[in-house]
Coordinates of all heavy atoms in Angstrom, one line a residue:
M8 N 87.2 82.2 212.8 CA 86.6 82.0 211.5 C 85.7 80.8 211.6 O 86.0 79.7 212.2 CB 87.7 81.7 210.5 CG 87.1 81.6 209.1 SD 88.4 81.9 207.9 CE 87.8 80.8 206.6
A9 N 84.5 80.9 211.1 CA 83.5 79.8 211.2 C 83.8 78.7 210.2 O 84.1 79.0 209.0 CB 82.1 80.4 210.9
A10 N 83.9 77.5 210.7 CA 84.1 76.4 209.8 C 82.8 75.9 209.3 O 81.8 75.9 210.0 CB 84.8 75.3 210.6
I11 N 82.8 75.5 208.0 CA 81.6 74.9 207.4 C 81.6 73.4 207.8 O 82.6 72.7 207.4 CB 81.6 75.1 205.9 CG1 81.5 76.6 205.6 CG2 80.4 74.3 205.3 CD1 81.4 76.9 204.1
Q12 N 80.6 73.0 208.5 CA 80.6 71.6 208.9 C 79.8 70.7 207.9 O 79.0 71.2 207.2 CB 79.9 71.6 210.3 CG 78.8 70.6 210.6 CD 78.2 70.8 211.9 OE1 78.2 71.8 212.5 NE2 77.7 69.7 212.4
D13 N 80.2 69.4 207.9 CA 79.5 68.5 207.0 C 78.3 67.9 207.8 O 78.4 67.6 209.0 CB 80.4 67.3 206.6 CG 81.4 67.8 205.6 OD1 81.1 68.4 204.6 OD2 82.6 67.5 205.8
V14 N 77.1 67.8 207.1 CA 76.0 67.1 207.7 C 75.7 65.9 206.9 O 76.1 65.8 205.7 CB 74.8 68.0 207.8 CG1 75.0 69.2 208.8 CG2 74.3 68.6 206.5
T15 N 74.9 65.0 207.5 CA 74.6 63.7 206.8 C 73.1 63.5 207.0 O 72.4 64.2 207.8 CB 75.3 62.5 207.5 OG1 74.9 62.4 208.8 CG2 76.8 62.7 207.4
D16 N 72.6 62.4 206.4 CA 71.2 62.0 206.6 C 70.9 61.8 208.1 O 69.9 62.2 208.6 CB 70.8 60.7 205.9 CG 70.7 60.9 204.4 OD1 70.5 62.0 203.9 OD2 70.8 59.9 203.7
A17 N 71.9 61.3 208.8 CA 71.7 60.9 210.2 C 71.6 62.1 211.1 O 70.9 62.1 212.1 CB 72.9 60.0 210.7
N18 N 72.3 63.2 210.9 CA 72.3 64.3 211.8 C 71.7 65.6 211.2 O 71.7 66.6 211.9 CB 73.7 64.6 212.3 CG 74.7 65.2 211.3 OD1 74.3 65.4 210.1 ND2 75.9 65.5 211.7
F19 N 71.1 65.5 210.1 CA 70.5 66.7 209.4 C 69.4 67.3 210.3 O 69.5 68.6 210.5 CB 69.8 66.2 208.0 CG 69.4 67.4 207.2 CD1 70.2 68.1 206.4 CD2 68.0 67.8 207.3 CE1 69.8 69.2 205.6 CE2 67.6 68.9 206.6 CZ 68.5 69.6 205.7
D20 N 68.5 66.6 210.8 CA 67.4 67.2 211.6 C 68.0 67.9 212.8 O 67.5 69.0 213.1 CB 66.4 66.1 212.0 CG 65.5 65.6 210.9 OD1 65.8 66.0 209.7 OD2 64.6 64.8 211.1
E21 N 68.9 67.3 213.5 CA 69.5 67.9 214.7 C 70.2 69.2 214.4 O 70.0 70.2 215.0 CB 70.4 66.9 215.4 CG 70.9 67.3 216.7 CD 69.8 67.4 217.8 OE1 68.8 66.6 217.8 OE2 69.8 68.4 218.6
V22 N 71.1 69.1 213.4 CA 72.0 70.2 213.1 C 71.2 71.4 212.3 O 71.4 72.5 212.6 CB 73.2 69.8 212.2 CG1 74.0 71.0 211.7 CG2 74.0 68.8 213.0
V23 N 70.4 71.0 211.4 CA 69.8 72.0 210.5 C 68.4 72.4 211.0 O 68.1 73.6 211.3 CB 69.7 71.5 209.1 CG1 68.9 72.5 208.2 CG2 71.1 71.2 208.5
L24 N 67.5 71.5 211.2 CA 66.1 71.8 211.5 C 65.9 72.3 212.9 O 65.0 73.1 213.1 CB 65.2 70.6 211.2 CG 65.2 70.0 209.8 CD1 64.2 68.9 209.7 CD2 65.0 71.1 208.7
K25 N 66.7 71.9 213.8 CA 66.6 72.4 215.2 C 67.5 73.6 215.6 O 67.5 74.0 216.7 CB 66.8 71.2 216.2 CG 65.8 70.1 216.0 CD 66.1 69.0 216.9 CE 65.0 67.9 216.7 NZ 65.3 66.7 217.5
S26 N 68.2 74.1 214.6 CA 69.1 75.2 214.8 C 68.3 76.5 215.2 O 67.2 76.8 214.7 CB 69.9 75.5 213.6 OG 70.7 76.7 213.8
D27 N 68.9 77.3 216.1 CA 68.3 78.6 216.5 C 68.6 79.6 215.4 O 67.9 80.6 215.3 CB 68.8 79.1 217.8 CG 68.4 78.2 219.0 OD1 67.3 77.6 218.9 OD2 69.1 78.1 220.0
L28 N 69.7 79.4 214.7 CA 70.1 80.4 213.6 C 69.6 79.9 212.3 O 69.4 78.7 212.1 CB 71.6 80.4 213.5 CG 72.4 81.1 214.7 CD1 73.9 80.9 214.5 CD2 72.0 82.5 214.9
P29 N 69.4 80.8 211.3 CA 69.2 80.3 209.9 C 70.3 79.4 209.5 O 71.5 79.7 209.8 CB 69.1 81.6 209.1 CG 68.9 82.7 210.1 CD 69.5 82.2 211.4
V30 N 70.1 78.4 208.7 CA 71.1 77.4 208.2 C 71.0 77.4 206.7 O 70.0 77.0 206.2 CB 70.9 76.0 208.8 CG1 72.0 75.1 208.3 CG2 70.9 76.1 210.4
L31 N 72.2 77.6 206.1 CA 72.3 77.5 204.6 C 72.9 76.1 204.4 O 74.0 75.9 204.8 CB 73.1 78.6 204.0 CG 73.2 78.6 202.5 CD1 71.9 78.9 201.9 CD2 74.3 79.6 202.0
V32 N 72.2 75.3 203.7 CA 72.7 73.9 203.4 C 73.2 73.9 201.9 O 72.4 74.2 201.0 CB 71.7 72.8 203.6 CG1 72.2 71.4 203.2 CG2 71.2 72.8 205.0
D33 N 74.4 73.6 201.7 CA 75.0 73.4 200.4 C 75.0 72.0 200.0 O 75.7 71.1 200.5 CB 76.5 73.9 200.4 CG 77.3 73.7 199.2 OD1 76.6 73.5 198.1 OD2 78.5 73.7 199.2
F34 N 74.1 71.6 199.1 CA 74.0 70.3 198.5 C 75.0 70.2 197.4 O 74.9 71.0 196.4 CB 72.6 70.0 198.0 CG 71.5 69.9 199.1 CD1 70.9 71.0 199.5 CD2 71.2 68.6 199.6 CE1 69.9 70.9 200.5 CE2 70.2 68.5 200.5 CZ 69.5 69.6 201.0
W35 N 76.0 69.3 197.5 CA 77.1 69.3 196.6 C 77.5 67.9 196.3 O 77.0 66.9 196.9 CB 78.3 70.1 197.2 CG 78.9 69.4 198.3 CD1 78.4 69.3 199.6 CD2 80.1 68.6 198.3 NE1 79.3 68.5 200.4 CE2 80.3 68.0 199.6 CE3 81.0 68.3 197.3 CZ2 81.4 67.2 200.0 CZ3 82.1 67.4 197.7 CH2 82.3 67.0 199.0
A36 N 78.5 67.7 195.4 CA 79.1 66.4 195.1 C 80.5 66.6 194.6 O 80.8 67.7 194.1 CB 78.3 65.7 194.0
D37 N 81.3 65.6 194.8 CA 82.8 65.7 194.3 C 82.9 66.0 192.9 O 83.8 66.7 192.5 CB 83.5 64.4 194.7 CG 83.8 64.2 196.1 OD1 84.0 65.2 196.8 OD2 83.8 63.0 196.6
W38 N 82.0 65.4 192.0 CA 82.2 65.6 190.6 C 81.6 66.9 190.0 O 81.7 67.2 188.8 CB 81.4 64.4 189.9 CG 80.1 64.2 190.4 CD1 79.7 63.3 191.4 CD2 78.9 64.9 190.0 NE1 78.3 63.4 191.6 CE2 77.8 64.4 190.8 CE3 78.6 66.0 189.1 CZ2 76.5 64.9 190.7 CZ3 77.3 66.4 189.0 CH2 76.3 65.9 189.8
C39 N 81.0 67.7 190.9 CA 80.3 68.9 190.5 C 81.3 70.2 190.5 O 81.7 70.6 191.5 CB 79.2 69.2 191.5 SG 78.4 70.8 191.3
G40 N 81.6 70.6 189.2 CA 82.5 71.7 189.1 C 82.0 73.0 189.7 O 82.7 73.7 190.5
P41 N 80.8 73.4 189.4 CA 80.2 74.6 190.1 C 80.2 74.6 191.6 O 80.3 75.6 192.3 CB 78.8 74.7 189.5 CG 78.9 74.0 188.2 CD 79.9 72.9 188.4
C42 N 80.0 73.3 192.1 CA 80.1 73.2 193.6 C 81.4 73.6 194.2 O 81.5 74.3 195.2 CB 79.8 71.7 194.0 SG 78.2 71.1 193.5
K43 N 82.5 73.2 193.4 CA 83.8 73.6 193.9 C 84.1 75.1 193.7 O 84.8 75.7 194.5 CB 84.9 72.8 193.1 CG 84.8 71.3 193.4 CD 85.8 70.5 192.6 CE 85.7 69.1 193.0 NZ 85.9 68.1 191.9
M44 N 83.4 75.7 192.7 CA 83.6 77.1 192.5 C 83.0 77.9 193.6 O 83.6 79.0 194.0 CB 83.0 77.5 191.1 CG 83.7 77.1 189.9 SD 82.9 77.4 188.3 CE 81.8 78.8 188.7
I45 N 81.9 77.5 194.2 CA 81.2 78.4 195.2 C 81.7 78.0 196.6 O 81.5 78.8 197.5 CB 79.7 78.3 195.2 CG1 79.2 76.9 195.5 CG2 79.1 78.8 193.8 CD1 77.7 76.9 195.9
A46 N 82.5 77.0 196.8 CA 83.0 76.6 198.1 C 83.7 77.7 198.8 O 83.4 78.1 200.0 CB 83.8 75.3 198.1
P47 N 84.7 78.4 198.1 CA 85.4 79.5 198.8 C 84.5 80.7 199.2 O 84.7 81.3 200.2 CB 86.5 79.9 197.8 CG 86.5 78.9 196.7 CD 85.2 78.1 196.8
V48 N 83.5 80.9 198.3 CA 82.6 82.0 198.6 C 81.7 81.7 199.8 O 81.5 82.6 200.7 CB 81.6 82.2 197.3 CG1 80.5 83.2 197.6 CG2 82.4 82.7 196.1
L49 N 81.3 80.5 199.9 CA 80.5 80.1 201.1 C 81.4 80.2 202.4 O 80.9 80.6 203.4 CB 80.0 78.7 200.9 CG 78.9 78.5 199.8 CD1 78.5 77.1 199.7 CD2 77.7 79.4 200.1
E50 N 82.7 79.8 202.3 CA 83.6 80.0 203.4 C 83.7 81.4 203.9 O 83.7 81.7 205.0 CB 84.9 79.4 203.1 CG 84.9 77.8 203.0 CD 86.2 77.2 202.6 OE1 87.2 77.9 202.6 OE2 86.2 76.0 202.2
Q51 N 83.8 82.3 202.9 CA 83.8 83.8 203.2 C 82.6 84.2 203.9 O 82.6 84.9 204.9 CB 84.1 84.6 201.9 CG 85.4 84.5 201.3 CD 85.5 85.2 200.0 OE1 84.5 85.8 199.5 NE2 86.6 85.1 199.3
I52 N 81.4 83.8 203.3 CA 80.1 84.3 203.9 C 80.0 83.7 205.3 O 79.5 84.4 206.3 CB 79.0 83.8 203.0 CG1 79.0 84.7 201.7 CG2 77.6 84.1 203.7 CD1 78.0 84.2 200.6
A53 N 80.4 82.4 205.5 CA 80.3 81.8 206.9 C 81.1 82.6 207.9 O 80.7 82.8 209.0 CB 80.8 80.4 206.8
A54 N 82.3 83.0 207.5 CA 83.1 83.8 208.4 C 82.5 85.2 208.7 O 82.5 85.6 209.8 CB 84.6 84.0 207.8
E55 N 82.0 85.8 207.7 CA 81.5 87.2 207.8 C 80.1 87.2 208.6 O 79.8 88.2 209.2 CB 81.3 87.8 206.4 CG 82.6 88.1 205.7 CD 82.4 88.4 204.2 OE1 81.3 88.5 203.7 OE2 83.5 88.5 203.6
Q56 N 79.4 86.1 208.5 CA 78.1 86.1 209.1 C 78.0 85.2 210.4 O 77.0 84.8 210.8 CB 77.0 85.5 208.1 CG 76.9 86.4 206.9 CD 76.4 87.8 207.2 OE1 75.7 88.0 208.1 NE2 76.8 88.8 206.4
E57 N 79.2 84.9 210.9 CA 79.3 84.1 212.1 C 78.4 84.6 213.2 O 78.4 85.8 213.4 CB 80.7 84.0 212.6 CG 80.9 82.9 213.6 CD 82.4 82.6 213.9 OE1 83.3 83.4 213.4 OE2 82.7 81.7 214.7
G58 N 77.6 83.8 213.8 CA 76.7 84.3 214.9 C 75.3 84.6 214.3 O 74.4 84.8 215.1
K59 N 75.2 84.8 213.0 CA 73.9 85.2 212.4 C 73.4 84.1 211.5 O 72.2 84.0 211.2 CB 74.1 86.4 211.5 CG 74.4 87.7 212.3 CD 74.4 88.9 211.3 CE 75.3 90.0 211.8 NZ 75.6 90.9 210.8
L60 N 74.4 83.3 210.9 CA 74.0 82.3 209.9 C 75.0 81.1 210.1 O 76.2 81.3 210.2 CB 74.2 82.9 208.5 CG 74.0 81.9 207.3 CD1 72.6 81.5 207.1 CD2 74.5 82.6 206.0
T61 N 74.5 79.9 210.0 CA 75.3 78.7 209.9 C 75.3 78.2 208.5 O 74.2 78.1 207.9 CB 74.7 77.6 210.9 OG1 74.7 78.2 212.2 CG2 75.6 76.4 210.9
I62 N 76.4 77.8 208.0 CA 76.5 77.2 206.7 C 77.0 75.7 206.9 O 78.0 75.5 207.5 CB 77.4 78.0 205.7 CG1 76.8 79.4 205.5 CG2 77.5 77.2 204.3 CD1 77.6 80.3 204.6
V63 N 76.3 74.8 206.3 CA 76.8 73.4 206.3 C 76.8 72.8 204.9 O 76.1 73.4 204.0 CB 75.9 72.5 207.2 CG1 75.9 73.1 208.7 CG2 74.4 72.5 206.7
K64 N 77.5 71.7 204.7 CA 77.6 71.0 203.4 C 77.0 69.6 203.6 O 77.2 69.0 204.5 CB 79.0 70.9 203.0 CG 79.7 72.2 202.7 CD 81.2 72.1 202.4 CE 81.5 71.5 201.1 NZ 81.3 72.4 200.0
L65 N 76.2 69.2 202.5 CA 75.7 67.8 202.5 C 76.1 67.2 201.2 O 75.7 67.7 200.1 CB 74.2 67.8 202.7 CG 73.6 66.4 202.7 CD1 72.7 66.3 204.0 CD2 72.8 66.1 201.5
N66 N 76.9 66.1 201.2 CA 77.3 65.4 200.0 C 76.1 64.7 199.5 O 75.6 63.7 200.1 CB 78.4 64.5 200.4 CG 79.0 63.8 199.1 OD1 78.2 63.3 198.3 ND2 80.3 63.9 199.0
A67 N 75.6 65.1 198.3 CA 74.4 64.6 197.8 C 74.5 63.1 197.4 O 73.5 62.3 197.5 CB 74.0 65.4 196.5
D68 N 75.7 62.7 197.0 CA 75.9 61.3 196.6 C 75.8 60.3 197.8 O 75.4 59.2 197.7 CB 77.2 61.1 195.9 CG 77.2 61.7 194.5 OD1 76.1 61.9 193.9 OD2 78.3 62.0 194.0
Q69 N 76.3 60.8 198.9 CA 76.4 60.0 200.1 C 75.2 60.1 201.0 O 75.1 59.3 202.0 CB 77.7 60.4 201.0 CG 79.0 60.1 200.2 CD 80.2 60.7 200.9 OE1 80.1 61.3 202.0 NE2 81.3 60.6 200.3
N70 N 74.3 61.0 200.8 CA 73.1 61.2 201.6 C 71.9 61.4 200.8 O 71.2 62.4 200.8 CB 73.4 62.5 202.5 CG 74.6 62.3 203.4 OD1 74.5 61.7 204.4 ND2 75.7 62.9 203.0
P71 N 71.5 60.3 200.1 CA 70.3 60.4 199.2 C 69.0 60.6 199.8 O 68.1 61.2 199.2 CB 70.4 59.1 198.4 CG 71.1 58.1 199.4 CD 72.1 59.0 200.1
D72 N 68.8 60.2 201.1 CA 67.5 60.4 201.7 C 67.2 61.9 201.9 O 66.0 62.3 201.6 CB 67.5 59.7 203.1 CG 67.6 58.2 203.0 OD1 67.4 57.7 201.9 OD2 68.0 57.6 204.0
T73 N 68.1 62.7 202.3 CA 67.8 64.1 202.5 C 67.7 64.8 201.2 O 66.8 65.7 201.0 CB 69.0 64.8 203.3 OG1 69.1 64.1 204.6 CG2 68.7 66.3 203.6
V74 N 68.4 64.4 200.2 CA 68.3 64.9 198.8 C 66.9 64.7 198.3 O 66.2 65.6 197.8 CB 69.4 64.3 197.9 CG1 69.1 64.7 196.4 CG2 70.8 64.8 198.3
R75 N 66.4 63.5 198.4 CA 65.0 63.1 198.0 C 64.0 63.9 198.8 O 63.0 64.4 198.2 CB 64.8 61.6 198.2 CG 64.9 60.8 196.9 CD 64.4 59.4 197.1 NE 64.9 58.7 198.2 CZ 66.1 58.1 198.3 NH1 66.8 58.1 197.2 NH2 66.4 57.4 199.4
R76 N 64.2 63.9 200.1 CA 63.2 64.6 201.0 C 62.9 66.0 200.6 O 61.8 66.5 200.7 CB 63.8 64.5 202.4 CG 62.9 65.1 203.5 CD 63.6 64.7 204.8 NE 63.3 65.5 205.9 CZ 63.9 65.5 207.1 NH1 65.0 64.7 207.2 NH2 63.6 66.3 208.0
Y77 N 64.0 66.7 200.1 CA 63.8 68.1 199.8 C 63.8 68.4 198.3 O 63.8 69.5 197.8 CB 64.9 69.0 200.4 CG 64.7 69.0 201.9 CD1 65.4 68.2 202.8 CD2 63.7 69.9 202.4 CE1 65.1 68.3 204.2 CE2 63.4 69.9 203.8 CZ 64.1 69.1 204.6 OH 63.8 69.1 206.0
G78 N 63.7 67.3 197.5 CA 63.5 67.4 196.0 C 64.6 68.1 195.3 O 64.4 68.8 194.3
V79 N 65.9 67.9 195.8 CA 67.0 68.5 195.2 C 67.3 67.8 193.8 O 67.5 66.6 193.8 CB 68.3 68.5 196.1 CG1 69.5 68.9 195.4 CG2 68.0 69.3 197.4
M80 N 67.2 68.6 192.7 CA 67.4 68.0 191.4 C 68.7 68.4 190.7 O 69.2 67.6 189.9 CB 66.2 68.5 190.5 CG 64.9 68.2 191.0 SD 64.5 66.4 191.2 CE 64.1 66.1 189.5
G81 N 69.3 69.5 191.1 CA 70.5 69.9 190.5 C 71.5 70.4 191.5 O 71.1 70.7 192.6
L82 N 72.8 70.3 191.1 CA 73.8 70.7 192.1 C 74.7 71.9 191.5 O 74.8 71.9 190.3 CB 74.8 69.6 192.4 CG 74.1 68.4 193.1 CD1 75.1 67.3 193.2 CD2 73.5 68.7 194.4
P83 N 75.1 72.8 192.3 CA 74.8 72.9 193.7 C 73.4 73.5 193.9 O 73.0 74.3 193.1 CB 75.9 73.9 194.2 CG 76.2 74.8 193.0 CD 76.0 73.9 191.8
T84 N 72.8 73.0 195.0 CA 71.6 73.6 195.4 C 71.8 74.1 196.8 O 72.4 73.4 197.7 CB 70.4 72.6 195.5 OG1 70.1 72.3 194.1 CG2 69.2 73.2 196.2
L85 N 71.4 75.4 197.1 CA 71.6 76.0 198.4 C 70.2 76.2 199.0 O 69.4 76.9 198.4 CB 72.3 77.3 198.3 CG 73.7 77.3 197.7 CD1 74.2 78.7 197.6 CD2 74.6 76.5 198.5
N86 N 69.9 75.5 200.1 CA 68.6 75.7 200.7 C 68.8 76.4 202.0 O 69.7 76.0 202.8 CB 67.9 74.3 201.1 CG 67.2 73.7 199.9 OD1 67.1 74.2 198.8 ND2 66.6 72.5 200.2
L87 N 68.0 77.5 202.2 CA 68.1 78.2 203.5 C 66.9 77.8 204.4 O 65.8 77.9 204.0 CB 68.0 79.7 203.2 CG 68.2 80.6 204.5 CD1 69.6 80.4 205.1 CD2 67.9 82.0 204.2
Y88 N 67.3 77.3 205.6 CA 66.3 76.8 206.5 C 66.2 77.8 207.7 O 67.2 78.2 208.2 CB 66.7 75.4 207.1 CG 66.7 74.4 206.0 CD1 67.8 74.2 205.2 CD2 65.6 73.5 205.9 CE1 67.8 73.2 204.2 CE2 65.6 72.5 205.0 CZ 66.7 72.4 204.1 OH 66.7 71.4 203.1
K89 N 65.0 78.1 208.1 CA 64.8 79.0 209.2 C 63.6 78.3 210.0 O 62.5 78.0 209.4 CB 64.4 80.4 208.8 CG 64.5 81.4 209.9 CD 64.5 82.8 209.4 CE 64.6 83.7 210.6 NZ 64.7 85.1 210.2
N90 N 63.8 78.1 211.3 CA 62.8 77.5 212.1 C 62.3 76.1 211.5 O 61.1 75.8 211.5 CB 61.6 78.4 212.3 CG 62.0 79.7 213.0 OD1 62.8 79.7 213.9 ND2 61.4 80.8 212.6
G91 N 63.3 75.4 211.0 CA 62.9 74.1 210.4 C 62.3 74.0 209.1 O 61.9 72.9 208.6
E92 N 62.1 75.1 208.4 CA 61.4 75.2 207.1 C 62.4 75.8 206.1 O 63.2 76.7 206.4 CB 60.2 76.1 207.2 CG 59.1 75.6 208.2 CD 58.5 74.4 207.8 OE1 58.2 74.2 206.5 OE2 58.2 73.5 208.6
V93 N 62.2 75.3 204.8 CA 63.0 75.9 203.7 C 62.3 77.3 203.4 O 61.1 77.3 203.1 CB 62.9 75.0 202.4 CG1 63.7 75.7 201.3 CG2 63.6 73.7 202.7
V94 N 63.1 78.4 203.5 CA 62.6 79.7 203.2 C 63.1 80.3 201.9 O 62.6 81.3 201.4 CB 62.8 80.7 204.4 CG1 62.0 80.2 205.6 CG2 64.3 80.8 204.7
K95 N 64.2 79.6 201.4 CA 64.8 80.1 200.1 C 65.5 78.9 199.5 O 66.2 78.2 200.2 CB 65.7 81.2 200.4 CG 66.5 81.8 199.3 CD 65.6 82.7 198.4 CE 65.8 84.2 198.7 NZ 65.0 85.0 197.8
Q96 N 65.5 78.8 198.2 CA 66.3 77.8 197.5 C 67.0 78.5 196.3 O 66.3 79.2 195.5 CB 65.4 76.7 197.0 CG 66.2 75.6 196.3 CD 65.4 74.4 195.8 OE1 64.6 74.5 194.9 NE2 65.6 73.3 196.5
L97 N 68.3 78.3 196.2 CA 69.1 78.8 195.1 C 69.7 77.6 194.4 O 70.3 76.8 195.0 CB 70.1 79.8 195.6 CG 69.6 80.9 196.4 CD1 70.7 81.6 197.2 CD2 69.0 81.9 195.5
V98 N 69.6 77.5 193.1 CA 70.2 76.4 192.3 C 71.3 77.0 191.4 O 71.1 78.0 190.7 CB 69.2 75.7 191.5 CG1 69.8 74.5 190.7 CG2 68.1 75.1 192.4
G99 N 72.5 76.4 191.4 CA 73.6 76.8 190.6 C 74.5 77.7 191.3 O 74.2 78.3 192.4
A100 N 75.7 77.9 190.8 CA 76.8 78.7 191.4 C 76.4 80.2 191.1 O 76.0 80.5 190.0 CB 78.1 78.4 190.8
K101 N 76.5 81.0 192.2 CA 76.2 82.4 192.1 C 77.4 83.2 192.6 O 78.1 82.7 193.5 CB 75.0 82.8 192.9 CG 73.8 81.9 192.6 CD 72.8 82.6 191.7 CE 71.5 81.8 191.6 NZ 71.4 80.9 190.5
P102 N 77.6 84.4 192.1 CA 78.6 85.3 192.7 C 78.3 85.6 194.1 O 77.1 85.6 194.5 CB 78.6 86.5 191.8 CG 77.9 86.2 190.6 CD 76.9 85.0 191.0
K103 N 79.3 86.0 194.9 CA 79.2 86.3 196.3 C 78.1 87.4 196.5 O 77.3 87.3 197.4 CB 80.5 86.7 196.9 CG 80.4 87.0 198.4 CD 81.8 87.4 199.0 CE 81.6 87.7 200.4 NZ 82.7 88.5 201.0
R104 N 78.2 88.5 195.7 CA 77.3 89.6 196.0 C 75.8 89.2 195.8 O 74.9 89.6 196.4 CB 77.6 90.8 195.1 CG 77.6 90.6 193.6 CD 77.9 91.8 192.8 NE 78.1 91.8 191.4 CZ 77.7 90.9 190.6 NH1 77.1 89.8 190.9 NH2 77.9 91.0 189.3
V105 N 75.6 88.2 194.8 CA 74.2 87.7 194.6 C 73.7 86.9 195.7 O 72.6 87.0 196.2 CB 74.2 86.9 193.2 CG1 72.8 86.2 193.1 CG2 74.5 87.8 192.1
L106 N 74.6 86.0 196.2 CA 74.3 85.2 197.4 C 73.9 86.1 198.6 O 73.0 85.8 199.3 CB 75.4 84.2 197.7 CG 75.6 83.1 196.8 CD1 76.8 82.3 197.2 CD2 74.4 82.2 196.7
E107 N 74.8 87.1 198.9 CA 74.6 88.0 200.0 C 73.2 88.7 199.9 O 72.5 88.8 200.9 CB 75.7 89.0 200.1 CG 77.0 88.3 200.6 CD 78.2 89.3 200.5 OE1 78.2 90.2 199.7 OE2 79.1 89.1 201.4
K108 N 72.9 89.2 198.7 CA 71.6 89.8 198.5 C 70.4 88.9 198.7 O 69.5 89.3 199.3 CB 71.6 90.4 197.1 CG 70.3 91.2 196.8 CD 70.6 92.3 195.8 CE 69.5 93.2 195.5 NZ 68.9 93.9 196.7
E109 N 70.5 87.7 198.3 CA 69.5 86.7 198.4 C 69.3 86.3 199.9 O 68.2 86.0 200.3 CB 69.8 85.4 197.6 CG 69.7 85.6 196.1 CD 68.3 85.7 195.6 OE1 67.4 85.5 196.3 OE2 68.2 86.0 194.4
L110 N 70.4 86.4 200.7 CA 70.3 86.0 202.1 C 70.0 87.1 203.1 O 69.5 86.8 204.2 CB 71.7 85.3 202.5 CG 72.1 84.1 201.7 CD1 73.5 83.7 202.1 CD2 71.1 82.9 202.0
E111 N 70.2 88.3 202.7 CA 70.2 89.4 203.6 C 68.8 89.6 204.4 O 68.9 89.9 205.5 CB 70.5 90.8 202.9 CG 69.5 91.3 202.0 CD 70.0 92.6 201.2 OE1 71.1 93.1 201.6 OE2 69.3 93.0 200.3
E112 N 67.7 89.3 203.8 CA 66.4 89.5 204.4 C 66.2 88.5 205.6 O 65.4 88.6 206.4 CB 65.3 89.4 203.5 CG 65.1 88.0 202.9 CD 63.9 87.9 201.9 OE1 62.8 87.9 202.3 OE2 64.2 87.9 200.7
F113 N 67.0 87.4 205.6 CA 66.9 86.4 206.6 C 67.9 86.5 207.8 O 67.9 85.7 208.7 CB 67.0 85.0 206.0 CG 65.9 84.8 204.9 CD1 66.3 84.9 203.6 CD2 64.6 84.5 205.3 CE1 65.3 84.7 202.6 CE2 63.6 84.4 204.3 CZ 64.0 84.4 203.0
L114 N 68.8 87.4 207.7 CA 69.9 87.6 208.7 C 69.5 88.6 209.7 O 68.8 89.5 209.5 CB 71.2 87.9 208.0 CG 71.7 86.9 207.0 CD1 72.9 87.3 206.3 CD2 71.9 85.5 207.6

């Protein structure tokens, strides 16, 4: 089962932008209820898409530089990066089927 790794301002470029696979970054915070609601869904998708998609989490409160860099205004925000570029942004908690549909063209 694929584990969702934490990324920080310090390792974001290395882990996300230089990845050979598409990377879905979950911008979240401890105080964010919807962030907690989608966490198990993201774990399921990470396991099901292992080898095709990497999912990582970035704590927005602890990593403000990356949050500012990508203009993240609300949580949760899910940015999908491919070849170092944001190719899709989803804001707010979404059901699993909606997330899968939004991601399918990039897998």
